[in-house]
Amino acid sequence: MLYPRESPSRERKSLDGLWSFRADFSDNRRRGFEEQWYRRPLRESGPTVDMPVPSSFNDIGQDWRLRHFVGWVWYEREVTLPERWTQDPRTRVVLRIGSAHSYAIVWVNGVDTLEHEGGYLPFEADISSLVQVGPSSIHLRITIAINNTLSPSTLPPGTIRYMTDTSKYPEGYFVQNTDFDFFNYAGLQRSVLLYTTPTSYIDDITTATGVQPHSGSHPPTKPISRLSGHGLPKSPVWFTSLLRRGVWPEVTQLRVAILSLPVVLLSHQLPSAPSLGAALSPAPLCPLPRCSPLSSSPLPLPTVLPSHQLPSAPSLGVALSPAPLCPFPPYCPHTSSPLPPFTVLLSYQLPLLHILLKGQAISVKCSSQFELEVRLLNAENKVVAEGTGTQGQLKVPGANLWWPYLMHERPAYLYSLEVRLTAQTSVGPVSDFYTLPVGIRTVAVTESQFLINGKPFYFHGVNKHEDADIRGKGFDWPLLVKDFNLLLWLGANAFRTSHYPYAEEVLQMCDRHGIVVIDECPAVGLVLPQHFSNTSMNHHMQVMEELVRRDKNHPAVVMWSVANEPASYLESAGYYFKMVITHTKALDPSRPVTFVTNSNYAADKGAPYVDVICVNSYYSWYHDYGHLELIQLQLGTQFENWYKTYHKPIIQSEYGAETIVGFHQLSLASPGLPCAHSTASLLLPRPRSLPTSSQTSAPLAWPSDGLLLIGLVSRRLRCRAYGTPLLQTSQIGEVAHGYTSLLILFEKDPPLMFSEEYQKALLEQYHLGLDQKRGKYVVGELVWNFADFMTNQSPQRMLGNKKGIFTRQRQPKAAAFLLRERYWKIANETRHPHSAAKSQCLENSPFT
């Protein structure tokens, strides 16, 4: 499904803004259908309120019943169309809804137009026949009824529970039960718009990318067949343009059929190790913003330290190798080894068209009735390849690859694929133009690595939610830009769309900034046997078809996730996930497929079918409360068991702890140590005199700032007065620049759950365990969660889930600074040129 873009042949009209809104509070929630509210303006059948679109309706109004409302709500908007849209027989008008959670029925001028099940993906309908009927057709009334009820066969699933005890509940009282931990926001949560195309138009484009390193102007070739066992061809860039053509006004409905025709493509050669090394050797990036070119002694990575810690003088002279990346873009210019020439082949083929004319199916070959022109433009808007005809190949020498953020000095390089269709119709020639951003990159998986462009990639990022105050899950550009600024500041290179597909604009931002995405469908809460029925499976497959069709062309999307934390230990889950994953790989063989598990490694029935193991665990949070000393042991055992059983790369897809911002349990020690005392090193101004023993009675003659610091530290650590055996000081030695290092022994206050110190300490213990396996077979870590988010009310949740490293208002907690330091450190380590010495595959793996 192509994202609606304006072009010389296409227009769009946003319907975002205020809509009329009404919830059906009747006992059976069906009064709107019984009274046919869609047949006349909604205001004529009763009172309405203003509702902004996009937004969730739950937190907008002051009617308490809307907060947890379950049932049908009604939206309506009246629109005036441009006159040419209603009078030009060569114009096709389409209504597109970005999402409607969870089941939607749409009427246009009272006519039932389309229905859609599923709350997080777009759907659309050709409404040309409804708007091109006469002079009065410029006025349009769009009515949308949405039901947010979840059933065992929806995604996500849910159940309705009727409370029958009339001594406690009114008659007919019911609640919506779910098995997922986020609020079930609903409504028109993404944009609604109208757009036009010609009656002969480009309906879809599919790209699959790869690179072919070579020397000389004529690379070696070898024919291969599309039908060689991997579904789609292993071509560098392959796309199919689907066209629809109708003769006005007899054509009332159009259908497209794609024939499975063999395509002859060029094979690919694996690069030699030297050429790969030349391609992947990174140029050092500047550690500070707007600085001069790097000197021979690069500065260390910027580190955010607590206010009481000061760097020692010797550390200022330590040079890191390789030079650290700059956490503050834009980067300063640096020289680097030129990339070897890459040739990208761009192959395309047009299918046959089937046109349904008043119920009669007629197969038409259109090769003699239209022409197709294709151009590929680089970021400087220069044409680098072009072609004509119904099928062919475009060669792109010296191609720039799409690299993730912090993996290259020029990440997220995008080309523009321009497609122009010219067709002969009964009303004359018709042209259509569409431009698709294209990123050239490969994805491959070995038994211990995740490769992007042949280089090992380590996911260091977050899980997110589409969630914010007031707007709920409603799409909001300022919030989206703020989130991406925080991701770049954090040094995150990836996130998972937990636990549903995000808005298309989010993925466009990922393409632009190089943020890698694990794209997840809304299969969360599959915990009951009835969730694995054939009905659920068929709907699950349909959702995956819609998701792949929408997001297949985003280079940022590197893996599909078909579920989160299902009951994959059930016997029925094995066959269920085998079928869903096989279906997803058939839809897109160019990407790996996974689901996120929290089942035992030995009992998981779905794990044999995934390409990457994604594991959620919350050691020292949901069990062994407070025992941080157990995390490294339990995490290491988890990794070893999964890898020994499946020999697949592993991502720690969730870990974290709940933290209420501002809650503190102060300690300078490294929490979780199994000892009664801990040590901390403080750097204080050089004293005029220093006692040689803690038993001395001689007073200290220190500067006032030093005395104040000691007093503050002592009070926070509940230490007794100086000179007692509990607090001992000894002069360790003097270092440059007038600093003296002191060793302080103190009684440790262990951090307590829900404090910021506990969240930080828990993450640190996880990081120690991750570092033991990172570089072996653990290929990523995604903290839970990017920001606090709303959930259903319960004694376990205080105004939502507080596991975010940012608050719901995007203010950082202490853990955000910890992760920032870690992620930039990992980015510098993984950019070392020797890290990719053993990785030479520059093709997409066939994930079939």
Side-chain angles (χ1 to χ4, degrees), residues 124-148:
E124 61 183 32
D126 184 342
I127 62 171
S128 303
S129 61
L130 299 174
V131 302
Q132 296 173 339
V133 294
S136 62
S137 61
I138 62 172
H139 300 292
L140 204 63
R141 181 170 54 85
I142 301 170
T143 308
I144 305 176
I146 303 173
N147 194 326
N148 65 342

PDB file of all heavy atoms in Angstrom, residues 124-148:
ATOM      1  N   GLU A 124      -8.704   1.892   2.989  1.00  0.00           N
ATOM      2  CA  GLU A 124      -9.179   2.933   2.079  1.00  0.00           C
ATOM      3  C   GLU A 124     -10.214   2.374   1.129  1.00  0.00           C
ATOM      4  O   GLU A 124     -10.368   1.149   0.984  1.00  0.00           O
ATOM      5  CB  GLU A 124      -8.013   3.536   1.292  1.00  0.00           C
ATOM      6  CG  GLU A 124      -7.273   2.554   0.415  1.00  0.00           C
ATOM      7  CD  GLU A 124      -6.073   3.175  -0.282  1.00  0.00           C
ATOM      8  OE1 GLU A 124      -5.445   4.100   0.292  1.00  0.00           O
ATOM      9  OE2 GLU A 124      -5.756   2.733  -1.406  1.00  0.00           O
ATOM     10  N   ALA A 125     -10.909   3.294   0.445  1.00  0.00           N
ATOM     11  CA  ALA A 125     -11.927   2.916  -0.537  1.00  0.00           C
ATOM     12  C   ALA A 125     -11.987   3.956  -1.637  1.00  0.00           C
ATOM     13  O   ALA A 125     -11.850   5.159  -1.382  1.00  0.00           O
ATOM     14  CB  ALA A 125     -13.296   2.776   0.127  1.00  0.00           C
ATOM     15  N   ASP A 126     -12.200   3.472  -2.854  1.00  0.00           N
ATOM     16  CA  ASP A 126     -12.424   4.344  -4.003  1.00  0.00           C
ATOM     17  C   ASP A 126     -13.866   4.847  -3.927  1.00  0.00           C
ATOM     18  O   ASP A 126     -14.814   4.064  -4.005  1.00  0.00           O
ATOM     19  CB  ASP A 126     -12.195   3.549  -5.288  1.00  0.00           C
ATOM     20  CG  ASP A 126     -12.310   4.408  -6.541  1.00  0.00           C
ATOM     21  OD1 ASP A 126     -12.890   5.508  -6.471  1.00  0.00           O
ATOM     22  OD2 ASP A 126     -11.819   3.968  -7.601  1.00  0.00           O
ATOM     23  N   ILE A 127     -14.041   6.144  -3.747  1.00  0.00           N
ATOM     24  CA  ILE A 127     -15.386   6.721  -3.622  1.00  0.00           C
ATOM     25  C   ILE A 127     -15.752   7.564  -4.833  1.00  0.00           C
ATOM     26  O   ILE A 127     -16.661   8.400  -4.761  1.00  0.00           O
ATOM     27  CB  ILE A 127     -15.507   7.549  -2.335  1.00  0.00           C
ATOM     28  CG1 ILE A 127     -14.524   8.726  -2.342  1.00  0.00           C
ATOM     29  CG2 ILE A 127     -15.281   6.672  -1.096  1.00  0.00           C
ATOM     30  CD1 ILE A 127     -14.758   9.708  -1.190  1.00  0.00           C
ATOM     31  N   SER A 128     -15.069   7.344  -5.954  1.00  0.00           N
ATOM     32  CA  SER A 128     -15.321   8.152  -7.159  1.00  0.00           C
ATOM     33  C   SER A 128     -16.781   8.093  -7.578  1.00  0.00           C
ATOM     34  O   SER A 128     -17.385   9.116  -7.949  1.00  0.00           O
ATOM     35  CB  SER A 128     -14.425   7.672  -8.302  1.00  0.00           C
ATOM     36  OG  SER A 128     -13.067   7.716  -7.949  1.00  0.00           O
ATOM     37  N   SER A 129     -17.378   6.917  -7.527  1.00  0.00           N
ATOM     38  CA  SER A 129     -18.765   6.776  -7.975  1.00  0.00           C
ATOM     39  C   SER A 129     -19.742   7.511  -7.068  1.00  0.00           C
ATOM     40  O   SER A 129     -20.889   7.753  -7.465  1.00  0.00           O
ATOM     41  CB  SER A 129     -19.135   5.288  -8.030  1.00  0.00           C
ATOM     42  OG  SER A 129     -19.015   4.697  -6.746  1.00  0.00           O
ATOM     43  N   LEU A 130     -19.300   7.876  -5.855  1.00  0.00           N
ATOM     44  CA  LEU A 130     -20.182   8.582  -4.924  1.00  0.00           C
ATOM     45  C   LEU A 130     -20.027  10.086  -4.995  1.00  0.00           C
ATOM     46  O   LEU A 130     -20.914  10.820  -4.522  1.00  0.00           O
ATOM     47  CB  LEU A 130     -19.897   8.107  -3.489  1.00  0.00           C
ATOM     48  CG  LEU A 130     -20.117   6.613  -3.220  1.00  0.00           C
ATOM     49  CD1 LEU A 130     -19.660   6.263  -1.813  1.00  0.00           C
ATOM     50  CD2 LEU A 130     -21.573   6.241  -3.419  1.00  0.00           C
ATOM     51  N   VAL A 131     -18.918  10.569  -5.550  1.00  0.00           N
ATOM     52  CA  VAL A 131     -18.681  12.011  -5.582  1.00  0.00           C
ATOM     53  C   VAL A 131     -18.776  12.578  -6.992  1.00  0.00           C
ATOM     54  O   VAL A 131     -18.799  13.807  -7.142  1.00  0.00           O
ATOM     55  CB  VAL A 131     -17.301  12.352  -4.980  1.00  0.00           C
ATOM     56  CG1 VAL A 131     -17.210  11.855  -3.551  1.00  0.00           C
ATOM     57  CG2 VAL A 131     -16.166  11.793  -5.818  1.00  0.00           C
ATOM     58  N   GLN A 132     -18.831  11.759  -7.980  1.00  0.00           N
ATOM     59  CA  GLN A 132     -18.904  12.236  -9.366  1.00  0.00           C
ATOM     60  C   GLN A 132     -20.271  11.897  -9.947  1.00  0.00           C
ATOM     61  O   GLN A 132     -20.402  11.174 -10.929  1.00  0.00           O
ATOM     62  CB  GLN A 132     -17.775  11.613 -10.194  1.00  0.00           C
ATOM     63  CG  GLN A 132     -16.387  12.041  -9.707  1.00  0.00           C
ATOM     64  CD  GLN A 132     -15.257  11.307 -10.415  1.00  0.00           C
ATOM     65  OE1 GLN A 132     -15.454  10.239 -10.986  1.00  0.00           O
ATOM     66  NE2 GLN A 132     -14.062  11.874 -10.364  1.00  0.00           N
ATOM     67  N   VAL A 133     -21.302  12.441  -9.302  1.00  0.00           N
ATOM     68  CA  VAL A 133     -22.678  12.132  -9.702  1.00  0.00           C
ATOM     69  C   VAL A 133     -23.481  13.379 -10.048  1.00  0.00           C
ATOM     70  O   VAL A 133     -24.679  13.277 -10.285  1.00  0.00           O
ATOM     71  CB  VAL A 133     -23.403  11.354  -8.576  1.00  0.00           C
ATOM     72  CG1 VAL A 133     -22.775   9.987  -8.390  1.00  0.00           C
ATOM     73  CG2 VAL A 133     -23.389  12.141  -7.277  1.00  0.00           C
ATOM     74  N   GLY A 134     -22.849  14.546 -10.036  1.00  0.00           N
ATOM     75  CA  GLY A 134     -23.590  15.753 -10.383  1.00  0.00           C
ATOM     76  C   GLY A 134     -23.045  16.957  -9.650  1.00  0.00           C
ATOM     77  O   GLY A 134     -22.113  16.861  -8.843  1.00  0.00           O
ATOM     78  N   PRO A 135     -23.644  18.133  -9.911  1.00  0.00           N
ATOM     79  CA  PRO A 135     -23.133  19.378  -9.326  1.00  0.00           C
ATOM     80  C   PRO A 135     -23.139  19.382  -7.801  1.00  0.00           C
ATOM     81  O   PRO A 135     -22.295  20.005  -7.169  1.00  0.00           O
ATOM     82  CB  PRO A 135     -24.083  20.446  -9.893  1.00  0.00           C
ATOM     83  CG  PRO A 135     -24.670  19.823 -11.114  1.00  0.00           C
ATOM     84  CD  PRO A 135     -24.763  18.358 -10.840  1.00  0.00           C
ATOM     85  N   SER A 136     -24.106  18.715  -7.173  1.00  0.00           N
ATOM     86  CA  SER A 136     -24.196  18.749  -5.718  1.00  0.00           C
ATOM     87  C   SER A 136     -23.197  17.829  -5.037  1.00  0.00           C
ATOM     88  O   SER A 136     -23.126  17.804  -3.797  1.00  0.00           O
ATOM     89  CB  SER A 136     -25.616  18.346  -5.280  1.00  0.00           C
ATOM     90  OG  SER A 136     -25.891  17.009  -5.688  1.00  0.00           O
ATOM     91  N   SER A 137     -22.439  17.094  -5.807  1.00  0.00           N
ATOM     92  CA  SER A 137     -21.557  16.101  -5.203  1.00  0.00           C
ATOM     93  C   SER A 137     -20.304  16.719  -4.599  1.00  0.00           C
ATOM     94  O   SER A 137     -19.493  16.001  -4.030  1.00  0.00           O
ATOM     95  CB  SER A 137     -21.146  15.062  -6.254  1.00  0.00           C
ATOM     96  OG  SER A 137     -20.435  15.675  -7.312  1.00  0.00           O
ATOM     97  N   ILE A 138     -20.128  18.044  -4.704  1.00  0.00           N
ATOM     98  CA  ILE A 138     -18.949  18.642  -4.076  1.00  0.00           C
ATOM     99  C   ILE A 138     -19.057  18.623  -2.549  1.00  0.00           C
ATOM    100  O   ILE A 138     -18.074  18.802  -1.849  1.00  0.00           O
ATOM    101  CB  ILE A 138     -18.716  20.087  -4.560  1.00  0.00           C
ATOM    102  CG1 ILE A 138     -19.901  20.982  -4.184  1.00  0.00           C
ATOM    103  CG2 ILE A 138     -18.450  20.117  -6.056  1.00  0.00           C
ATOM    104  CD1 ILE A 138     -19.654  22.443  -4.468  1.00  0.00           C
ATOM    105  N   HIS A 139     -20.258  18.394  -2.021  1.00  0.00           N
ATOM    106  CA  HIS A 139     -20.473  18.314  -0.583  1.00  0.00           C
ATOM    107  C   HIS A 139     -20.495  16.851  -0.167  1.00  0.00           C
ATOM    108  O   HIS A 139     -21.261  16.046  -0.707  1.00  0.00           O
ATOM    109  CB  HIS A 139     -21.769  19.009  -0.175  1.00  0.00           C
ATOM    110  CG  HIS A 139     -21.797  20.462  -0.533  1.00  0.00           C
ATOM    111  ND1 HIS A 139     -20.985  21.399   0.060  1.00  0.00           N
ATOM    112  CD2 HIS A 139     -22.542  21.136  -1.461  1.00  0.00           C
ATOM    113  CE1 HIS A 139     -21.223  22.589  -0.448  1.00  0.00           C
ATOM    114  NE2 HIS A 139     -22.163  22.462  -1.379  1.00  0.00           N
ATOM    115  N   LEU A 140     -19.656  16.536   0.804  1.00  0.00           N
ATOM    116  CA  LEU A 140     -19.450  15.148   1.199  1.00  0.00           C
ATOM    117  C   LEU A 140     -19.660  15.025   2.703  1.00  0.00           C
ATOM    118  O   LEU A 140     -19.166  15.850   3.478  1.00  0.00           O
ATOM    119  CB  LEU A 140     -18.024  14.712   0.835  1.00  0.00           C
ATOM    120  CG  LEU A 140     -17.741  13.226   0.624  1.00  0.00           C
ATOM    121  CD1 LEU A 140     -18.523  12.702  -0.549  1.00  0.00           C
ATOM    122  CD2 LEU A 140     -16.249  13.024   0.391  1.00  0.00           C
ATOM    123  N   ARG A 141     -20.375  14.001   3.109  1.00  0.00           N
ATOM    124  CA  ARG A 141     -20.565  13.715   4.535  1.00  0.00           C
ATOM    125  C   ARG A 141     -20.012  12.323   4.815  1.00  0.00           C
ATOM    126  O   ARG A 141     -20.485  11.333   4.254  1.00  0.00           O
ATOM    127  CB  ARG A 141     -22.045  13.810   4.917  1.00  0.00           C
ATOM    128  CG  ARG A 141     -22.307  13.537   6.397  1.00  0.00           C
ATOM    129  CD  ARG A 141     -23.758  13.894   6.760  1.00  0.00           C
ATOM    130  NE  ARG A 141     -24.695  13.227   5.889  1.00  0.00           N
ATOM    131  CZ  ARG A 141     -25.162  11.975   6.082  1.00  0.00           C
ATOM    132  NH1 ARG A 141     -24.747  11.279   7.124  1.00  0.00           N
ATOM    133  NH2 ARG A 141     -26.018  11.460   5.244  1.00  0.00           N
ATOM    134  N   ILE A 142     -19.019  12.284   5.673  1.00  0.00           N
ATOM    135  CA  ILE A 142     -18.343  11.025   5.999  1.00  0.00           C
ATOM    136  C   ILE A 142     -18.709  10.650   7.427  1.00  0.00           C
ATOM    137  O   ILE A 142     -18.485  11.430   8.363  1.00  0.00           O
ATOM    138  CB  ILE A 142     -16.815  11.158   5.863  1.00  0.00           C
ATOM    139  CG1 ILE A 142     -16.449  11.555   4.437  1.00  0.00           C
ATOM    140  CG2 ILE A 142     -16.118   9.869   6.261  1.00  0.00           C
ATOM    141  CD1 ILE A 142     -14.996  11.938   4.269  1.00  0.00           C
ATOM    142  N   THR A 143     -19.263   9.468   7.603  1.00  0.00           N
ATOM    143  CA  THR A 143     -19.668   8.961   8.910  1.00  0.00           C
ATOM    144  C   THR A 143     -18.901   7.676   9.183  1.00  0.00           C
ATOM    145  O   THR A 143     -18.851   6.775   8.333  1.00  0.00           O
ATOM    146  CB  THR A 143     -21.178   8.688   8.956  1.00  0.00           C
ATOM    147  OG1 THR A 143     -21.889   9.851   8.514  1.00  0.00           O
ATOM    148  CG2 THR A 143     -21.619   8.314  10.361  1.00  0.00           C
ATOM    149  N   ILE A 144     -18.307   7.592  10.362  1.00  0.00           N
ATOM    150  CA  ILE A 144     -17.520   6.412  10.725  1.00  0.00           C
ATOM    151  C   ILE A 144     -17.969   5.932  12.098  1.00  0.00           C
ATOM    152  O   ILE A 144     -17.931   6.690  13.077  1.00  0.00           O
ATOM    153  CB  ILE A 144     -16.006   6.716  10.754  1.00  0.00           C
ATOM    154  CG1 ILE A 144     -15.545   7.306   9.417  1.00  0.00           C
ATOM    155  CG2 ILE A 144     -15.211   5.462  11.087  1.00  0.00           C
ATOM    156  CD1 ILE A 144     -14.083   7.734   9.400  1.00  0.00           C
ATOM    157  N   ALA A 145     -18.393   4.688  12.183  1.00  0.00           N
ATOM    158  CA  ALA A 145     -18.733   4.054  13.452  1.00  0.00           C
ATOM    159  C   ALA A 145     -17.602   3.112  13.833  1.00  0.00           C
ATOM    160  O   ALA A 145     -17.156   2.298  13.012  1.00  0.00           O
ATOM    161  CB  ALA A 145     -20.052   3.294  13.349  1.00  0.00           C
ATOM    162  N   ILE A 146     -17.146   3.219  15.092  1.00  0.00           N
ATOM    163  CA  ILE A 146     -15.990   2.447  15.560  1.00  0.00           C
ATOM    164  C   ILE A 146     -16.372   1.704  16.832  1.00  0.00           C
ATOM    165  O   ILE A 146     -16.959   2.286  17.751  1.00  0.00           O
ATOM    166  CB  ILE A 146     -14.773   3.352  15.833  1.00  0.00           C
ATOM    167  CG1 ILE A 146     -14.403   4.138  14.579  1.00  0.00           C
ATOM    168  CG2 ILE A 146     -13.591   2.540  16.327  1.00  0.00           C
ATOM    169  CD1 ILE A 146     -13.322   5.179  14.812  1.00  0.00           C
ATOM    170  N   ASN A 147     -16.017   0.422  16.873  1.00  0.00           N
ATOM    171  CA  ASN A 147     -16.255  -0.405  18.056  1.00  0.00           C
ATOM    172  C   ASN A 147     -14.915  -0.874  18.608  1.00  0.00           C
ATOM    173  O   ASN A 147     -14.136  -1.514  17.893  1.00  0.00           O
ATOM    174  CB  ASN A 147     -17.133  -1.615  17.701  1.00  0.00           C
ATOM    175  CG  ASN A 147     -17.674  -2.310  18.937  1.00  0.00           C
ATOM    176  OD1 ASN A 147     -17.020  -2.379  19.977  1.00  0.00           O
ATOM    177  ND2 ASN A 147     -18.879  -2.853  18.816  1.00  0.00           N
ATOM    178  N   ASN A 148     -14.635  -0.559  19.870  1.00  0.00           N
ATOM    179  CA  ASN A 148     -13.363  -0.934  20.479  1.00  0.00           C
ATOM    180  C   ASN A 148     -13.427  -2.224  21.278  1.00  0.00           C
ATOM    181  O   ASN A 148     -12.502  -2.548  22.023  1.00  0.00           O
ATOM    182  CB  ASN A 148     -12.848   0.199  21.377  1.00  0.00           C
ATOM    183  CG  ASN A 148     -13.760   0.453  22.563  1.00  0.00           C
ATOM    184  OD1 ASN A 148     -14.917   0.045  22.580  1.00  0.00           O
ATOM    185  ND2 ASN A 148     -13.245   1.155  23.567  1.00  0.00           N
TER     186      ASN A 148
END
